[in-house]
Amino acid sequence: MHLPWRLSCKMQPFGVADTWWLFDLFAWGSCASASAGSCPLMTASSKACAGSATLYIYPTCAHSLRGRFPYGTHESKEGDAYCAQVLQPGSFADSQRFYRLDGGIPAHLVGSLHVQFPHQVDDVPVRYRVEVDAAASDASPLLAVWYNSDSSFYRRYADMVHGGWSAEDTAYCAAELPSTLARGGFVLQAGSPGVPYDAHAVVDPSHGLPSALWERELSVGGAAEMSIGRAPSGWSCQQTVGLAVSGACHLTIRREQCSDPHGASREPVA
């Protein structure tokens, strides 16, 4: 979980992408700016595989109070982007390229098809649905979801919010992803270190290490769903999440039109 008051990654002049080490009051991490066109929505596997998978993202037009808990949203042109890549040790953990997956990846997930979420999901509520086609049955596709499980983040920084963060909000955010994944048929991989990021930070080296990994098999013609919502007060929990599909040859990300509370739909709010 990213901590307050960090010096954000910013676009370099003339669109030049580079890697910078920035001082952070709580953590030093590898931070690289994203250049235009650097966010692919499709990727392909080089492992033994079959069929294709699609991630559908269903945003809601009426967003939460985005980026205000407990500090300003990161300065990034891709702050709400979802990107596709092949999962490898050292890959960027998030679509904004703030941190790398340098703390170890479970062997069975190396080479799988990875969806990079924003470092923190501000635009909520949002629903995700992964579907596989019939050909994928030959590969017994596996869906993995991991997230930063440092629930103390909410307790330590709740008092920084101006506008009514409460103990109820803290409890909701700590339980949100375990609850939604369990309802979606995922199983917690107890004893797994998960998929940590920024494992070699100089200050506060544990900030990217607490990671929980959940998995479920995908049946042909079926689908797996998960969602991220609002805390009771309306704030975003700013979850830090990753998702990967193993066994499918191709992965495509599709961002659908958002829908308002009355059922009408329109393009997602920027």
Side-chain angles (χ1 to χ4, degrees):
M1 183 72 69
H2 188 27
L3 303 182
W5 304 311
R6 188 175 192 277
L7 298 179
S8 300
C9 303
K10 297 184 180 180
M11 294 295 291
Q12 296 300 311
F14 311 110
V16 178
D18 203 347
T19 301
W20 298 80
W21 289 89
L22 298 181
F23 176 74
D24 188 326
L25 293 178
F26 292 91
W28 281 349
S30 179
C31 173
S33 62
S35 59
S38 63
C39 186
L41 300 179
M42 299 179 64
T43 191
S45 175
S46 60
K47 299 171 60 176
C49 60
S52 300
T54 303
L55 169 66
Y56 296 91
I57 302 172
Y58 299 93
T60 300
C61 300
H63 290 153
S64 66
L65 303 176
R66 59 173 297 184
R68 290 182 58 194
F69 167 66
Y71 50 93
T73 186
H74 295 296
E75 297 181 29
S76 170
K77 294 183 68 175
E78 297 186 357
D80 61 352
Y82 293 81
C83 308
Q85 68 173 2
V86 175
L87 185 62
Q88 298 289 351
S91 300
F92 281 108
D94 54 275
S95 62
Q96 294 153 295
R97 300 184 178 185
F98 288 155
Y99 299 110
R100 290 188 181 272
L101 297 171
D102 57 0
I105 297 174
H108 68 288
L109 294 180
V110 173
S112 59
L113 306 179
H114 175 211
V115 177
Q116 296 169 298
F117 281 54
H119 175 55
Q120 292 172 328
V121 180
D122 289 327
D123 294 340
V124 294
V126 57
R127 180 168 60 92
Y128 308 93
R129 179 181 176 90
V130 178
E131 298 181 1
V132 294
D133 61 17
S137 62
D138 295 335
S140 301
L142 178 75
L143 178 60
V145 175
W146 59 89
Y147 57 89
N148 185 292
S149 55
D150 180 13
S151 61
S152 66
F153 173 84
Y154 303 111
R155 295 192 298 273
R156 285 180 287 160
Y157 299 107
D159 61 350
M160 296 178 60
V161 177
H162 301 288
W165 187 265
S166 68
E168 186 180 11
D169 296 318
T170 296
Y172 172 88
C173 289
E176 179 182 51
L177 283 174
S179 297
T180 189
L181 290 170
R183 289 195 302 269
F186 290 83
V187 176
L188 174 65
Q189 304 305 294
S192 170
V195 187
Y197 61 88
D198 203 28
H200 305 292
V202 177
V203 182
D204 190 20
S206 65
H207 86 108
L209 296 180
S211 180
L213 174 64
W214 294 63
E215 296 178 347
R216 63 159 290 178
E217 292 186 357
L218 291 172
S219 59
V220 176
E225 294 194 4
M226 59 175 282
S227 59
I228 299 177
R230 297 186 181 116
S233 62
W235 302 105
S236 163
C237 294
Q238 296 204 339
Q239 304 286 10
T240 301
V241 187
L243 179 151
V245 180
S246 180
C249 294
H250 301 91
L251 172 68
T252 302
I253 301 172
R254 290 190 54 179
R255 189 182 181 98
E256 301 296 296
Q257 289 186 334
C258 62
S259 58
D260 67 25
H262 303 290
S265 64
R266 57 189 175 89
E267 291 301 317
V269 175

